[in-house]
PDB file of all heavy atoms in Angstrom:
ATOM      1  N   ALA A 209      -3.442  15.444  35.932  1.00  0.00           N
ATOM      2  CA  ALA A 209      -2.533  16.096  36.757  1.00  0.00           C
ATOM      3  C   ALA A 209      -1.361  16.796  35.912  1.00  0.00           C
ATOM      4  O   ALA A 209      -0.947  17.876  36.267  1.00  0.00           O
ATOM      5  CB  ALA A 209      -1.863  15.078  37.683  1.00  0.00           C
ATOM      6  N   ASP A 210      -1.064  16.214  34.703  1.00  0.00           N
ATOM      7  CA  ASP A 210       0.038  16.921  33.922  1.00  0.00           C
ATOM      8  C   ASP A 210      -0.639  17.900  32.944  1.00  0.00           C
ATOM      9  O   ASP A 210       0.188  18.593  32.195  1.00  0.00           O
ATOM     10  CB  ASP A 210       0.734  15.914  33.119  1.00  0.00           C
ATOM     11  CG  ASP A 210      -0.100  15.026  32.156  1.00  0.00           C
ATOM     12  OD1 ASP A 210      -1.273  15.378  31.973  1.00  0.00           O
ATOM     13  OD2 ASP A 210       0.465  14.026  31.603  1.00  0.00           O
ATOM     14  N   GLY A 211      -1.959  18.140  33.060  1.00  0.00           N
ATOM     15  CA  GLY A 211      -2.589  19.158  32.182  1.00  0.00           C
ATOM     16  C   GLY A 211      -2.703  18.864  30.730  1.00  0.00           C
ATOM     17  O   GLY A 211      -3.037  19.560  29.946  1.00  0.00           O
ATOM     18  N   ARG A 212      -2.436  17.606  30.391  1.00  0.00           N
ATOM     19  CA  ARG A 212      -2.455  17.263  28.921  1.00  0.00           C
ATOM     20  C   ARG A 212      -3.848  16.809  28.437  1.00  0.00           C
ATOM     21  O   ARG A 212      -4.168  16.907  27.265  1.00  0.00           O
ATOM     22  CB  ARG A 212      -1.464  16.078  28.595  1.00  0.00           C
ATOM     23  CG  ARG A 212      -0.054  16.490  28.832  1.00  0.00           C
ATOM     24  CD  ARG A 212       0.875  15.440  28.498  1.00  0.00           C
ATOM     25  NE  ARG A 212       0.408  14.094  28.600  1.00  0.00           N
ATOM     26  CZ  ARG A 212       0.682  13.079  27.807  1.00  0.00           C
ATOM     27  NH1 ARG A 212       1.664  13.134  26.968  1.00  0.00           N
ATOM     28  NH2 ARG A 212       0.166  11.836  28.139  1.00  0.00           N
ATOM     29  N   PHE A 213      -4.694  16.287  29.335  1.00  0.00           N
ATOM     30  CA  PHE A 213      -6.046  15.831  28.941  1.00  0.00           C
ATOM     31  C   PHE A 213      -7.177  16.412  29.693  1.00  0.00           C
ATOM     32  O   PHE A 213      -6.993  16.717  30.928  1.00  0.00           O
ATOM     33  CB  PHE A 213      -6.089  14.317  29.114  1.00  0.00           C
ATOM     34  CG  PHE A 213      -5.129  13.577  28.179  1.00  0.00           C
ATOM     35  CD1 PHE A 213      -3.917  13.146  28.674  1.00  0.00           C
ATOM     36  CD2 PHE A 213      -5.408  13.327  26.863  1.00  0.00           C
ATOM     37  CE1 PHE A 213      -3.014  12.547  27.837  1.00  0.00           C
ATOM     38  CE2 PHE A 213      -4.561  12.672  26.052  1.00  0.00           C
ATOM     39  CZ  PHE A 213      -3.273  12.247  26.582  1.00  0.00           C
ATOM     40  N   LEU A 214      -8.264  16.603  29.159  1.00  0.00           N
ATOM     41  CA  LEU A 214      -9.529  17.074  29.810  1.00  0.00           C
ATOM     42  C   LEU A 214     -10.548  16.050  29.503  1.00  0.00           C
ATOM     43  O   LEU A 214     -10.792  15.708  28.345  1.00  0.00           O
ATOM     44  CB  LEU A 214      -9.912  18.388  29.272  1.00  0.00           C
ATOM     45  CG  LEU A 214     -11.357  18.823  29.711  1.00  0.00           C
ATOM     46  CD1 LEU A 214     -11.272  19.270  31.210  1.00  0.00           C
ATOM     47  CD2 LEU A 214     -11.813  19.963  28.809  1.00  0.00           C
ATOM     48  N   ALA A 215     -11.176  15.451  30.522  1.00  0.00           N
ATOM     49  CA  ALA A 215     -12.277  14.526  30.420  1.00  0.00           C
ATOM     50  C   ALA A 215     -13.566  15.365  30.837  1.00  0.00           C
ATOM     51  O   ALA A 215     -13.423  16.151  31.743  1.00  0.00           O
ATOM     52  CB  ALA A 215     -12.157  13.263  31.284  1.00  0.00           C
ATOM     53  N   TYR A 216     -14.677  15.038  30.196  1.00  0.00           N
ATOM     54  CA  TYR A 216     -15.834  15.675  30.498  1.00  0.00           C
ATOM     55  C   TYR A 216     -17.103  14.818  30.071  1.00  0.00           C
ATOM     56  O   TYR A 216     -16.945  13.976  29.313  1.00  0.00           O
ATOM     57  CB  TYR A 216     -15.892  17.090  30.016  1.00  0.00           C
ATOM     58  CG  TYR A 216     -15.957  17.195  28.445  1.00  0.00           C
ATOM     59  CD1 TYR A 216     -17.109  17.159  27.584  1.00  0.00           C
ATOM     60  CD2 TYR A 216     -14.669  17.275  27.754  1.00  0.00           C
ATOM     61  CE1 TYR A 216     -16.995  17.221  26.243  1.00  0.00           C
ATOM     62  CE2 TYR A 216     -14.620  17.235  26.431  1.00  0.00           C
ATOM     63  CZ  TYR A 216     -15.831  17.324  25.651  1.00  0.00           C
ATOM     64  OH  TYR A 216     -15.716  17.376  24.275  1.00  0.00           O
ATOM     65  N   VAL A 217     -18.205  15.151  30.677  1.00  0.00           N
ATOM     66  CA  VAL A 217     -19.490  14.525  30.319  1.00  0.00           C
ATOM     67  C   VAL A 217     -20.252  15.479  29.371  1.00  0.00           C
ATOM     68  O   VAL A 217     -20.408  16.629  29.627  1.00  0.00           O
ATOM     69  CB  VAL A 217     -20.345  14.280  31.581  1.00  0.00           C
ATOM     70  CG1 VAL A 217     -21.748  13.777  31.268  1.00  0.00           C
ATOM     71  CG2 VAL A 217     -19.667  13.224  32.528  1.00  0.00           C
ATOM     72  N   GLU A 218     -20.676  14.933  28.245  1.00  0.00           N
ATOM     73  CA  GLU A 218     -21.468  15.697  27.246  1.00  0.00           C
ATOM     74  C   GLU A 218     -22.928  15.195  27.406  1.00  0.00           C
ATOM     75  O   GLU A 218     -23.212  13.998  27.468  1.00  0.00           O
ATOM     76  CB  GLU A 218     -20.993  15.292  25.786  1.00  0.00           C
ATOM     77  CG  GLU A 218     -21.558  16.108  24.778  1.00  0.00           C
ATOM     78  CD  GLU A 218     -21.114  17.563  24.664  1.00  0.00           C
ATOM     79  OE1 GLU A 218     -19.835  17.705  24.833  1.00  0.00           O
ATOM     80  OE2 GLU A 218     -21.888  18.399  24.452  1.00  0.00           O
ATOM     81  N   GLN A 219     -23.769  16.148  27.737  1.00  0.00           N
ATOM     82  CA  GLN A 219     -25.249  15.811  27.969  1.00  0.00           C
ATOM     83  C   GLN A 219     -26.047  16.434  26.930  1.00  0.00           C
ATOM     84  O   GLN A 219     -26.175  17.604  26.727  1.00  0.00           O
ATOM     85  CB  GLN A 219     -25.636  16.341  29.358  1.00  0.00           C
ATOM     86  CG  GLN A 219     -27.022  15.950  29.612  1.00  0.00           C
ATOM     87  CD  GLN A 219     -27.418  15.966  31.122  1.00  0.00           C
ATOM     88  OE1 GLN A 219     -26.510  15.901  31.959  1.00  0.00           O
ATOM     89  NE2 GLN A 219     -28.640  15.844  31.382  1.00  0.00           N
ATOM     90  N   ILE A 220     -26.769  15.536  26.151  1.00  0.00           N
ATOM     91  CA  ILE A 220     -27.683  15.953  25.146  1.00  0.00           C
ATOM     92  C   ILE A 220     -29.068  15.300  25.606  1.00  0.00           C
ATOM     93  O   ILE A 220     -29.272  14.181  25.565  1.00  0.00           O
ATOM     94  CB  ILE A 220     -27.338  15.332  23.703  1.00  0.00           C
ATOM     95  CG1 ILE A 220     -25.901  15.641  23.389  1.00  0.00           C
ATOM     96  CG2 ILE A 220     -28.355  15.820  22.726  1.00  0.00           C
ATOM     97  CD1 ILE A 220     -25.627  17.172  23.195  1.00  0.00           C
ATOM     98  N   GLY A 221     -29.903  16.260  26.003  1.00  0.00           N
ATOM     99  CA  GLY A 221     -31.162  15.780  26.557  1.00  0.00           C
ATOM    100  C   GLY A 221     -30.836  15.076  27.909  1.00  0.00           C
ATOM    101  O   GLY A 221     -30.146  15.526  28.726  1.00  0.00           O
ATOM    102  N   SER A 222     -31.368  13.836  27.982  1.00  0.00           N
ATOM    103  CA  SER A 222     -31.070  13.019  29.141  1.00  0.00           C
ATOM    104  C   SER A 222     -29.974  12.044  28.891  1.00  0.00           C
ATOM    105  O   SER A 222     -29.502  11.235  29.750  1.00  0.00           O
ATOM    106  CB  SER A 222     -32.311  12.245  29.574  1.00  0.00           C
ATOM    107  OG  SER A 222     -32.742  11.353  28.503  1.00  0.00           O
ATOM    108  N   ASP A 223     -29.377  11.977  27.700  1.00  0.00           N
ATOM    109  CA  ASP A 223     -28.277  11.125  27.331  1.00  0.00           C
ATOM    110  C   ASP A 223     -26.980  11.708  27.720  1.00  0.00           C
ATOM    111  O   ASP A 223     -26.655  12.911  27.496  1.00  0.00           O
ATOM    112  CB  ASP A 223     -28.237  10.832  25.837  1.00  0.00           C
ATOM    113  CG  ASP A 223     -29.382  10.046  25.410  1.00  0.00           C
ATOM    114  OD1 ASP A 223     -29.907   9.252  26.225  1.00  0.00           O
ATOM    115  OD2 ASP A 223     -29.738  10.062  24.136  1.00  0.00           O
ATOM    116  N   GLN A 224     -26.070  10.950  28.442  1.00  0.00           N
ATOM    117  CA  GLN A 224     -24.761  11.462  28.877  1.00  0.00           C
ATOM    118  C   GLN A 224     -23.697  10.492  28.361  1.00  0.00           C
ATOM    119  O   GLN A 224     -23.846   9.311  28.407  1.00  0.00           O
ATOM    120  CB  GLN A 224     -24.724  11.400  30.433  1.00  0.00           C
ATOM    121  CG  GLN A 224     -25.621  12.449  31.093  1.00  0.00           C
ATOM    122  CD  GLN A 224     -25.472  12.346  32.527  1.00  0.00           C
ATOM    123  OE1 GLN A 224     -25.237  11.355  33.110  1.00  0.00           O
ATOM    124  NE2 GLN A 224     -25.582  13.512  33.190  1.00  0.00           N
ATOM    125  N   SER A 225     -22.682  11.103  27.771  1.00  0.00           N
ATOM    126  CA  SER A 225     -21.581  10.354  27.267  1.00  0.00           C
ATOM    127  C   SER A 225     -20.231  10.961  27.810  1.00  0.00           C
ATOM    128  O   SER A 225     -20.191  12.104  28.267  1.00  0.00           O
ATOM    129  CB  SER A 225     -21.569  10.343  25.812  1.00  0.00           C
ATOM    130  OG  SER A 225     -21.548  11.573  25.272  1.00  0.00           O
ATOM    131  N   VAL A 226     -19.175  10.160  27.807  1.00  0.00           N
ATOM    132  CA  VAL A 226     -17.922  10.652  28.404  1.00  0.00           C
ATOM    133  C   VAL A 226     -16.934  10.915  27.158  1.00  0.00           C
ATOM    134  O   VAL A 226     -16.837  10.074  26.262  1.00  0.00           O
ATOM    135  CB  VAL A 226     -17.291   9.731  29.394  1.00  0.00           C
ATOM    136  CG1 VAL A 226     -15.847  10.187  29.819  1.00  0.00           C
ATOM    137  CG2 VAL A 226     -18.191   9.453  30.584  1.00  0.00           C
ATOM    138  N   TRP A 227     -16.348  12.025  27.176  1.00  0.00           N
ATOM    139  CA  TRP A 227     -15.355  12.500  26.130  1.00  0.00           C
ATOM    140  C   TRP A 227     -13.941  12.810  26.789  1.00  0.00           C
ATOM    141  O   TRP A 227     -13.935  13.208  27.884  1.00  0.00           O
ATOM    142  CB  TRP A 227     -15.904  13.709  25.320  1.00  0.00           C
ATOM    143  CG  TRP A 227     -17.187  13.388  24.660  1.00  0.00           C
ATOM    144  CD1 TRP A 227     -18.454  13.161  25.145  1.00  0.00           C
ATOM    145  CD2 TRP A 227     -17.304  13.273  23.216  1.00  0.00           C
ATOM    146  NE1 TRP A 227     -19.326  12.919  24.121  1.00  0.00           N
ATOM    147  CE2 TRP A 227     -18.678  12.949  22.936  1.00  0.00           C
ATOM    148  CE3 TRP A 227     -16.387  13.324  22.164  1.00  0.00           C
ATOM    149  CZ2 TRP A 227     -19.059  12.659  21.581  1.00  0.00           C
ATOM    150  CZ3 TRP A 227     -16.924  13.128  20.959  1.00  0.00           C
ATOM    151  CH2 TRP A 227     -18.191  12.900  20.635  1.00  0.00           C
ATOM    152  N   ILE A 228     -12.936  12.729  26.033  1.00  0.00           N
ATOM    153  CA  ILE A 228     -11.661  13.159  26.313  1.00  0.00           C
ATOM    154  C   ILE A 228     -11.010  14.073  25.296  1.00  0.00           C
ATOM    155  O   ILE A 228     -11.168  13.829  24.120  1.00  0.00           O
ATOM    156  CB  ILE A 228     -10.752  12.021  26.738  1.00  0.00           C
ATOM    157  CG1 ILE A 228      -9.562  12.508  27.493  1.00  0.00           C
ATOM    158  CG2 ILE A 228     -10.414  11.213  25.548  1.00  0.00           C
ATOM    159  CD1 ILE A 228      -8.918  11.514  28.466  1.00  0.00           C
ATOM    160  N   ARG A 229     -10.407  15.074  25.664  1.00  0.00           N
ATOM    161  CA  ARG A 229      -9.744  16.018  24.819  1.00  0.00           C
ATOM    162  C   ARG A 229      -8.228  16.141  25.085  1.00  0.00           C
ATOM    163  O   ARG A 229      -7.936  16.235  26.309  1.00  0.00           O
ATOM    164  CB  ARG A 229     -10.377  17.457  24.934  1.00  0.00           C
ATOM    165  CG  ARG A 229      -9.700  18.361  24.046  1.00  0.00           C
ATOM    166  CD  ARG A 229     -10.309  19.797  24.196  1.00  0.00           C
ATOM    167  NE  ARG A 229      -9.582  20.734  23.413  1.00  0.00           N
ATOM    168  CZ  ARG A 229     -10.048  21.476  22.526  1.00  0.00           C
ATOM    169  NH1 ARG A 229     -11.331  21.426  22.291  1.00  0.00           N
ATOM    170  NH2 ARG A 229      -9.294  22.345  21.866  1.00  0.00           N
ATOM    171  N   GLN A 230      -7.442  15.957  24.073  1.00  0.00           N
ATOM    172  CA  GLN A 230      -6.010  16.195  24.228  1.00  0.00           C
ATOM    173  C   GLN A 230      -5.858  17.711  24.110  1.00  0.00           C
ATOM    174  O   GLN A 230      -6.036  18.213  22.938  1.00  0.00           O
ATOM    175  CB  GLN A 230      -5.214  15.353  23.252  1.00  0.00           C
ATOM    176  CG  GLN A 230      -3.769  15.426  23.437  1.00  0.00           C
ATOM    177  CD  GLN A 230      -3.093  14.374  22.555  1.00  0.00           C
ATOM    178  OE1 GLN A 230      -3.677  13.714  21.664  1.00  0.00           O
ATOM    179  NE2 GLN A 230      -1.742  14.277  22.719  1.00  0.00           N
ATOM    180  N   ILE A 231      -5.407  18.437  25.118  1.00  0.00           N
ATOM    181  CA  ILE A 231      -5.417  19.876  25.111  1.00  0.00           C
ATOM    182  C   ILE A 231      -4.439  20.311  24.010  1.00  0.00           C
ATOM    183  O   ILE A 231      -4.771  21.352  23.232  1.00  0.00           O
ATOM    184  CB  ILE A 231      -5.156  20.386  26.464  1.00  0.00           C
ATOM    185  CG1 ILE A 231      -6.387  20.024  27.296  1.00  0.00           C
ATOM    186  CG2 ILE A 231      -4.922  21.860  26.378  1.00  0.00           C
ATOM    187  CD1 ILE A 231      -6.214  20.383  28.785  1.00  0.00           C
ATOM    188  N   ALA A 232      -3.303  19.786  23.847  1.00  0.00           N
ATOM    189  CA  ALA A 232      -2.209  20.285  22.987  1.00  0.00           C
ATOM    190  C   ALA A 232      -2.705  20.449  21.529  1.00  0.00           C
ATOM    191  O   ALA A 232      -2.426  21.401  20.817  1.00  0.00           O
ATOM    192  CB  ALA A 232      -0.956  19.589  23.104  1.00  0.00           C
TER     193      ALA A 232
END
């Protein structure tokens, strides 16, 4: 909500992992 972090799913083939990025 504060725009500081982006979470996303990284998909390589059928494998999925969760990542977080500190935007600043």
Side-chain angles (χ1 to χ4, degrees):
D210 61 9
R212 295 182 334 148
F213 296 96
L214 170 74
Y216 61 93
V217 172
E218 188 74 40
Q219 182 157 346
I220 307 296
S222 62
D223 292 338
Q224 295 181 324
S225 55
V226 179
W227 294 74
I228 192 150
R229 178 184 172 120
Q230 190 172 2
I231 293 173

